[in-house]
Amino acid sequence: MAKESEWRRSWSPTIDAQSWKHFKVAPENETESETPNYIFKTKFSDNSYEIMVSDFKNIWHNKEDGENIDRICKKLNPSVEASTKRLVEQIRSSLAEKIDSSTFAVSVQGDVLQWVVNSQLAELPFKWQFECTLNNHLLSSQLTMPLVAMVGELTRRQQELTSLLKNKDKEIDDYKSQGVKTSRKHLMTTKFDELTFNKNMATSKGFEGVVRQPVVSGFSAGGQNMYSDVMTKMAWINRPIEEAQDGSSLAAEGASLISEIPGGQTWENRVPESLGKGLSPTVSPARPGAKRTPDQSPGNKRARLSSPEQSPVKDAELIRREALEKKLAEEEIKLEQKAKKKKKKGLF
């Protein structure tokens, strides 16, 4: 089975692995005290984008490609002439957290959420409108289960940190028993007590702040990174069965081609061409005047070389041998060049 590290190198992340971000919208009514909480995630390419928006009760989804992006731009921004790639980049930058000039407005009509984003493009007003369709089938896979997994992972990490702190206290006690003291009093700490720590956290002001603004605190930079980690791990666990089987079969095939060479040879007992002059380490040269056995006769030798079962493997093995010998020769040349350079430096 392929290793996760190898899978990550070849895996192309989808919008699933992108983290949710919180954005503020103005209330629809001036008298409305609470501002609606919305989160979104995006996936951009050079000529397309995909977006999800959620209010934690519903999820809306939208995906547009090059032709549709150009059409929407002509409708909303008639005076703007830009390539699809430039338009996608402008949309991406207008959603960035650090862009203060962008303003957002959201309205829901039936199963459609309209998200209007106003920004600046080359000092000109630029308007974009996302038409997102309701798709609550994504609610579990994109929000509920990942958030539950995040809680479980945070609990596991807290347990690991608690264990680490207790071990650190034991280490400090060992130092103290040997007469070691801190250079300053303010560096001294009390022993970590898990029960007391949890009680203090439950009554702290920070805990109240998190509960009052769970969206802002939950999807901070640390929360976004953990969400991406959880979704990436889920993609690894739920990867297609064919992909996992292909990884294991390719590894087995590669091992068999490298380690099992016709004639009972392996790379461990093979003698290089430069040392063995092309002779196999398991076959000794024929003595002058020795009688050929049927297997050593020219006819049988030609038959073995032309065998359809052995020749493809031999050809592949020959290519690998030549590549290895070439690499060894290049490394020897490099070593000789380095030695010559060192001799020249020694002369000066």
Side-chain angles (χ1 to χ4, degrees), residues 314-348:
K314 285 188 176 182
D315 292 341
E317 195 54 39
L318 180 60
I319 294 172
R320 287 187 176 86
R321 291 182 181 181
E322 291 175 350
L324 180 59
E325 290 171 355
K326 183 179 179 181
K327 185 176 180 181
L328 291 173
E330 291 175 352
E331 290 178 353
E332 289 179 359
I333 293 173
K334 289 180 180 179
L335 291 174
E336 291 177 359
Q337 292 176 350
K338 288 182 179 179
K340 290 180 180 179
K341 288 181 180 179
K342 288 182 179 179
K343 288 183 180 179
K344 289 181 180 180
K345 289 182 180 179
L347 294 176
F348 294 100

Side-chain angles (χ1 to χ4, degrees), residues 27-83:
E28 296 180 359
N29 302 320
E30 294 182 358
T31 58
E32 188 176 355
S33 58
E34 293 185 1
T35 302
N37 280 313
Y38 287 100
I39 55 175
F40 75 99
K41 58 161 50 179
T42 55
K43 175 66 176 178
F44 289 94
S45 68
D46 290 341
N47 59 355
S48 66
Y49 68 78
E50 187 175 4
I51 184 170
M52 291 184 188
V53 183
S54 176
D55 61 355
F56 295 94
K57 300 175 184 177
N58 304 285
I59 285 186
W60 295 269
H61 176 257
N62 176 238
K63 186 176 182 179
E64 302 291 355
D65 56 12
E67 294 181 359
N68 290 333
I69 291 174
D70 295 336
R71 177 180 56 79
I72 296 171
C73 182
K74 289 180 180 179
K75 179 181 178 181
L76 299 176
N77 308 278
S79 60
V80 173
E81 292 184 3
S83 63

Side-chain angles (χ1 to χ4, degrees), residues 234-254:
M234 285 184 172
W236 157 254
I237 295 172
N238 299 322
R239 69 193 186 283
I241 298 176
E242 295 81 2
E243 185 178 335
Q245 291 177 345
D246 289 344
S248 59
S249 62
L250 286 173
E253 182 180 354

Side-chain angles (χ1 to χ4, degrees), residues 3-138:
K3 294 182 179 179
E4 184 176 356
S5 58
E6 298 174 356
W7 172 84
R8 283 175 179 263
R9 285 194 291 268
S10 60
W11 176 60
S12 299
T14 63
I15 191 173
D16 294 350
Q18 306 302 315
S19 59
W20 291 98
K21 298 178 182 179
H22 175 251
F23 70 94
K24 297 178 180 179
V25 296
E28 296 180 359
N29 302 320
E30 294 182 358
T31 58
E32 188 176 355
S33 58
E34 293 185 1
T35 302
N37 280 313
Y38 287 100
I39 55 175
F40 75 99
K41 58 161 50 179
T42 55
K43 175 66 176 178
F44 289 94
S45 68
D46 290 341
N47 59 355
S48 66
Y49 68 78
E50 187 175 4
I51 184 170
M52 291 184 188
V53 183
S54 176
D55 61 355
F56 295 94
K57 300 175 184 177
N58 304 285
I59 285 186
W60 295 269
H61 176 257
N62 176 238
K63 186 176 182 179
E64 302 291 355
D65 56 12
E67 294 181 359
N68 290 333
I69 291 174
D70 295 336
R71 177 180 56 79
I72 296 171
C73 182
K74 289 180 180 179
K75 179 181 178 181
L76 299 176
N77 308 278
S79 60
V80 173
E81 292 184 3
S83 63
T84 304
K85 184 177 180 179
R86 181 67 183 88
L87 292 175
V88 171
E89 182 58 33
Q90 173 62 24
I91 297 169
R92 184 208 302 264
S93 63
S94 65
L95 299 178
E97 296 177 355
K98 296 181 180 180
I99 303 298
D100 298 329
S101 59
S102 299
T103 59
F104 305 142
V106 175
S107 62
V108 180
Q109 299 177 357
D111 292 343
V112 178
L113 178 141
Q114 294 180 344
W115 182 13
V116 179
V117 181
N118 294 295
S119 60
Q120 297 285 327
L121 174 60
E123 299 183 354
L124 293 174
F126 182 82
K127 178 181 179 181
W128 197 260
Q129 182 170 303
F130 298 99
E131 297 280 345
C132 303
T133 306
L134 184 68
N135 190 349
N136 280 340
H137 295 292
L138 299 172

Side-chain angles (χ1 to χ4, degrees), residues 95-344:
L95 299 178
E97 296 177 355
K98 296 181 180 180
I99 303 298
D100 298 329
S101 59
S102 299
T103 59
F104 305 142
V106 175
S107 62
V108 180
Q109 299 177 357
D111 292 343
V112 178
L113 178 141
Q114 294 180 344
W115 182 13
V116 179
V117 181
N118 294 295
S119 60
Q120 297 285 327
L121 174 60
E123 299 183 354
L124 293 174
F126 182 82
K127 178 181 179 181
W128 197 260
Q129 182 170 303
F130 298 99
E131 297 280 345
C132 303
T133 306
L134 184 68
N135 190 349
N136 280 340
H137 295 292
L138 299 172
L139 195 61
S140 175
S141 62
Q142 299 296 324
L143 267 179
T144 308
M145 296 310 298
L147 291 178
V148 172
M150 288 172 64
V151 172
E153 175 59 12
L154 284 173
T155 303
R156 186 189 70 84
R157 294 186 183 186
Q158 180 178 329
Q159 292 172 351
E160 292 289 335
L161 288 173
T162 299
S163 177
L164 179 62
L165 285 172
K166 290 179 178 179
N167 290 333
K168 288 290 184 182
D169 284 338
K170 292 178 180 178
E171 183 179 356
I172 293 172
D173 287 341
D174 184 61
Y175 291 147
K176 288 181 178 180
S177 65
Q178 299 177 33
V180 178
K181 296 181 179 180
T182 57
S183 58
R184 292 175 177 82
K185 289 185 177 180
H186 71 273
L187 296 176
M188 297 179 63
T189 57
T190 59
K191 278 191 174 183
F192 175 75
D193 183 81
E194 184 178 2
L195 183 60
T196 303
F197 173 79
N198 290 332
K199 286 182 178 180
N200 292 337
M201 289 296 101
T203 56
S204 64
K205 292 183 179 180
F207 180 44
E208 182 177 343
V210 170
V211 175
R212 286 183 178 273
Q213 294 184 327
V215 179
V216 176
S217 58
F219 289 98
S220 60
Q224 291 174 15
N225 292 334
M226 176 163 288
Y227 178 90
S228 296
D229 292 341
V230 167
M231 295 302 287
T232 302
K233 182 67 71 173
M234 285 184 172
W236 157 254
I237 295 172
N238 299 322
R239 69 193 186 283
I241 298 176
E242 295 81 2
E243 185 178 335
Q245 291 177 345
D246 289 344
S248 59
S249 62
L250 286 173
E253 182 180 354
S256 63
L257 287 175
I258 293 174
S259 62
E260 296 179 5
I261 303 175
Q265 301 179 48
T266 63
W267 283 111
E268 286 77 7
N269 63 15
R270 177 186 175 273
V271 178
E273 294 282 346
S274 58
L275 297 178
K277 298 182 180 180
L279 297 177
S280 168
T282 58
V283 180
S284 59
R287 294 188 300 275
K291 187 177 180 180
R292 289 180 181 268
T293 62
D295 275 304
Q296 294 174 338
S297 62
N300 288 333
K301 188 175 182 180
R302 283 193 299 269
R304 292 197 309 273
L305 290 175
S306 61
S307 172
E309 296 180 356
Q310 295 183 4
S311 56
V313 180
K314 285 188 176 182
D315 292 341
E317 195 54 39
L318 180 60
I319 294 172
R320 287 187 176 86
R321 291 182 181 181
E322 291 175 350
L324 180 59
E325 290 171 355
K326 183 179 179 181
K327 185 176 180 181
L328 291 173
E330 291 175 352
E331 290 178 353
E332 289 179 359
I333 293 173
K334 289 180 180 179
L335 291 174
E336 291 177 359
Q337 292 176 350
K338 288 182 179 179
K340 290 180 180 179
K341 288 181 180 179
K342 288 182 179 179
K343 288 183 180 179
K344 289 181 180 180

